[in-house]
Amino acid sequence: QDHVCSLSKVPFRGAPCSDAAGRQVPYGIIMKQVNSSLSGVLWDEVQKSPFYEYKDSLGNFHQVWFDDPHSISLKAAYVKNRGLRGIGMWNGNSLDYSREATAERQTEAMWQALTP
């Protein structure tokens, strides 16, 4: 069913449905895959995060949730506006640090988004 994707219930540190059921995908791969996805980039207003949908070669439906410069800038602004002491990133090494021009722009935009 479109826009409905659930994680398997895999117990992990006391949470019944966690990232232990999924896997991390590098940002560069996400940026390439989103262009050939079923949906293109979608936006969840509640989570303030982008995602996209695709079907694999077996016809299974998937959703990929990720952060982009816009979603990160909203989180960074939240921290700043509330006078909090900082913000953490999940995994900065999943950005594409190659010398390809598109990758350099995407990576720079992600780091810049941390400073609202």
Side-chain angles (χ1 to χ4, degrees):
Q1 180 179 346
D2 286 353
H3 308 299
V4 176
C5 188
S6 60
L7 292 174
S8 304
K9 291 187 177 184
V10 178
F12 182 73
R13 297 186 185 181
C17 187
S18 72
D19 63 349
R23 63 185 175 87
Q24 184 172 323
V25 178
Y27 186 69
I29 291 173
I30 288 171
M31 291 295 91
K32 290 175 183 167
Q33 189 178 42
V34 73
N35 293 329
S36 62
S37 69
L38 294 171
S39 63
V41 176
L42 299 171
W43 181 260
D44 184 278
E45 191 57 38
V46 174
Q47 301 298 319
K48 305 286 189 223
S49 291
F51 67 100
Y52 63 91
E53 302 170 338
Y54 74 94
K55 287 188 180 176
D56 63 22
S57 61
L58 300 175
N60 298 311
F61 176 76
H62 299 271
Q63 283 182 341
V64 178
W65 289 74
F66 60 99
D67 274 311
D68 64 5
H70 179 64
S71 64
I72 288 178
S73 68
L74 293 172
K75 293 169 185 170
Y78 180 90
V79 167
K80 183 178 181 179
N81 293 338
R82 282 156 184 80
L84 302 176
R85 295 181 142 229
I87 187 170
M89 295 182 58
W90 179 250
N91 200 336
N93 68 351
S94 71
L95 297 173
D96 185 347
Y97 292 100
S98 70
R99 299 283 185 202
E100 180 189 34
T102 300
E104 284 182 338
R105 283 192 304 276
Q106 290 171 345
T107 297
E108 179 64 20
M110 291 290 272
W111 285 109
Q112 290 298 317
L114 288 168
T115 54

